[in-house]
Amino acid sequence: MSADLDCVELPRSALLRSVRRHIGLSFLSHPSAYAVGVCVVSLLSMATTLIVPRLLDPVAFGSFALLGTLFQYAARADLGLSQLADRDLARAGATDAGAAAARGIALLRASWALGLLAIVILTPLAVAGAVASGRFAPGDAALAVVAGVLGMVAHAPTSLYRATSQHWDFALLALLQQASLTAPRLAGLLIGGVTGCFAALLLCSGLLALAFAHPGHALAWRLPVVLPMVRAALPLFVFNGFWLVAVTANRWIAALLSAPDQLGLFAFGANLALVGLTIVGAVAQVRYPKLLGAMARAPEGRSDLLAGELRRVSLVLAAGALAAIPVTAPLIALLFPGYEAAAGATVWLALACLPLGAVAWVVPMALVLTDAPLREAVRVFGPTLVLLAAAMTAGDALAGIAGQGLACAATGLFLFVGLAGIFRRAGILSPQAARRAVATQAVLLGLLALAAALWLHGAAPGATGSIPVPSGEASR
């Protein structure tokens, strides 16, 4: 967060002013307070994700996973305004603190406008989808969507405080929002199952929005002001949205291909993989600004710099995936009784983290460095999603949910090729460096796939969850 914006102060809610005046927490003003705090809270949130399968059977967990994805999609209903805030407030604040504050208020009002519109449009669509699919309850779908949208609105002031370097305000609100995904979610699950979980998320998101997002702005927006913001933010939203869909679409495809219990088993492995990708993405948020700075200082060496970064990340991820192959089934049997039949699919999904983790490491840089994020998003992510659907269908026909997991790994490599293409077209990676990066990924993934196939084929039934592998299915 830039020190240039220290003079810019966006309005605080009455509760935020009261907390600062009476409780203090002055240590939150230090930039490192957020870095330390978010690591702790993120670990708690991930631990919560790992605890959930112990509270739900596979059928209920499948519904929970799909609803969680709906929640994530609804939380992006700002259409890229948070990314626009980083750009616009930095530009305005560098020359005019008053203009930056006015722009921040306009962005907050636009977030409320989009939130209200999203609730009206997305809620009936989610309910209709629930009725048509039968995979989750219509009421739960409505809870998940409204909770996600309110979470987006609650996050709006947080993104504005981040963009204007109001460290104390940003740290407090960001940590509160992260914490709302831990204890309240577990409490809701324990009290009311899947419905209770998303009701708790809705309650927390609604309270945070009312307390800190200036609800008086909910009806103060004007369409001529909102529309230009949406048009400016849309390319950023599409790129980020496509990436989110790329790493979550496998659950929806599995829902079309598998019986409810098999969906739950596949979603279990997919959630474990997503935890790994989330960790990689969180670390990348700290790393990639340094890489961008190094590239700016030495543009002639940026191809070698990025290629070296991709090579090191790929080797680390490959080592992690290799270590996961022999321990996945025993750990599932030990920690998640009832999910032993997910062992085969989980191994293949762990291998998918090699190419997808490398993409997660540098995808924020791709968004910053490309001049045409909208065109690149459609060009790269569109074919990837089509291939994922086709490959998972073929994999399911051959080996059930384990085949679906293998398809995810293969499609991840295809996505990595597309990302390398973005950097090559932007002039960041030379053609030779791009080919070497792809070849490295292909060789590592091929070796890992061979190791996984040999292990799963030779493992005794008891070592892989008391089921034959690689099919990974108890029944179809």
Side-chain angles (χ1 to χ4, degrees):
M1 289 180 277
S2 170
D4 294 337
L5 298 180
D6 287 343
C7 57
V8 180
E9 288 249 340
L10 296 179
R12 299 183 178 95
S13 68
L15 180 58
L16 200 58
R17 292 195 302 270
S18 178
V19 170
R20 184 159 192 172
R21 184 168 58 249
H22 297 295
I23 300 178
L25 303 176
S26 59
F27 67 90
L28 291 176
S29 296
H30 196 282
S32 63
Y34 170 73
V36 174
V38 78
C39 288
V40 174
V41 179
S42 294
L43 287 174
L44 291 174
S45 179
M46 292 173 191
T48 301
T49 300
L50 295 175
I51 291 171
V52 171
R54 296 184 62 88
L55 304 176
L56 300 173
D57 60 55
V59 174
F61 186 79
S63 299
F64 171 84
L66 294 178
L67 290 166
T69 306
L70 277 181
F71 175 84
Q72 288 179 288
Y73 293 165
R76 300 293 182 97
D78 69 341
L79 301 184
L81 289 184
S82 59
Q83 288 81 25
L84 188 68
D86 289 331
R87 188 191 72 183
D88 284 6
L89 295 185
R91 290 177 179 174
T95 57
D96 188 340
R103 185 63 167 173
I105 292 174
L107 285 164
L108 183 58
R109 289 175 176 173
S111 296
W112 273 106
L114 291 177
L116 295 173
L117 184 64
I119 289 175
V120 171
I121 294 176
L122 296 181
T123 304
L125 288 177
V127 170
V131 173
S133 69
R135 294 299 194 183
F136 41 83
D140 293 347
L143 288 173
V145 166
V146 177
V149 172
L150 291 177
M152 176 275 290
V153 174
H155 181 72
T158 310
S159 63
L160 300 180
Y161 293 140
R162 178 191 65 221
T164 54
S165 292
Q166 291 179 238
H167 299 294
W168 186 92
D169 310 82
F170 166 71
L172 179 65
L173 294 193
L175 293 176
L176 282 176
Q177 286 154 11
Q178 286 282 340
S180 70
L181 299 175
T182 56
R185 186 165 52 151
L186 277 181
L189 272 172
L190 290 171
I191 295 171
V194 173
T195 301
C197 172
F198 288 96
L201 286 175
L202 188 154
L203 178 62
C204 289
S205 298
L207 289 175
L208 289 172
L210 291 174
F212 301 114
H214 302 271
H217 290 312
L219 301 177
W221 53 273
R222 296 179 180 177
L223 196 60
V225 176
V226 173
L227 286 180
M229 291 184 182
V230 172
R231 282 196 297 268
L234 196 58
L236 305 176
F237 164 75
V238 171
F239 195 100
N240 277 313
F242 262 122
W243 166 238
L244 175 62
V245 171
V247 295
T248 56
N250 54 12
R251 295 161 179 76
W252 298 102
I253 298 170
L256 296 174
L257 298 173
S258 304
D261 59 329
Q262 296 302 301
L263 168 62
L265 295 172
F266 179 87
F268 168 83
N271 267 30
L272 291 181
L274 189 59
V275 167
L277 293 177
T278 301
I279 294 173
V280 172
V283 177
Q285 292 295 318
V286 179
R287 175 65 176 162
Y288 86 84
K290 298 179 182 179
L291 286 173
L292 288 174
M295 289 180 181
R297 290 190 296 271
E300 69 283 353
R302 57 188 182 181
S303 179
D304 291 338
L305 182 64
L306 181 57
E309 186 77 8
L310 285 171
R311 184 170 55 253
R312 288 188 293 272
V313 169
S314 296
L315 290 172
V316 171
L317 291 170
L322 181 62
I325 292 172
V327 302
T328 295
L331 286 178
I332 290 175
L334 176 66
L335 300 177
F336 304 102
Y339 287 85
E340 292 89 348
T346 303
V347 166
W348 294 115
L349 286 163
L351 268 58
C353 288
L354 169 58
L356 292 177
V359 172
W361 190 261
V362 294
V363 76
M365 295 175 58
L367 179 58
V368 171
L369 295 172
T370 180
D371 293 327
L374 182 59
R375 184 174 68 243
E376 292 289 10
V378 175
R379 183 175 187 174
V380 172
F381 293 108
T384 298
L385 292 170
V386 173
L387 179 62
L388 178 64
M392 286 184 65
T393 301
D396 179 72
L398 292 172
I401 59 171
Q404 293 177 29
L406 176 57
C408 292
T411 307
L413 179 61
F414 182 83
L415 180 56
F416 182 87
V417 173
L419 187 80
I422 291 178
F423 285 114
R424 182 179 56 80
R425 288 187 290 274
I428 308 301
L429 272 180
S430 67
Q432 296 82 1
R435 286 194 292 269
R436 285 195 299 270
V438 170
T440 299
Q441 276 282 323
V443 169
L444 289 174
L445 187 60
L447 292 174
L448 286 171
L450 178 61
L454 291 173
W455 174 264
L456 292 173
H457 183 267
T464 54
S466 300
I467 59 162
V469 289
S471 71
E473 289 192 327
S475 62
R476 277 183 66 80

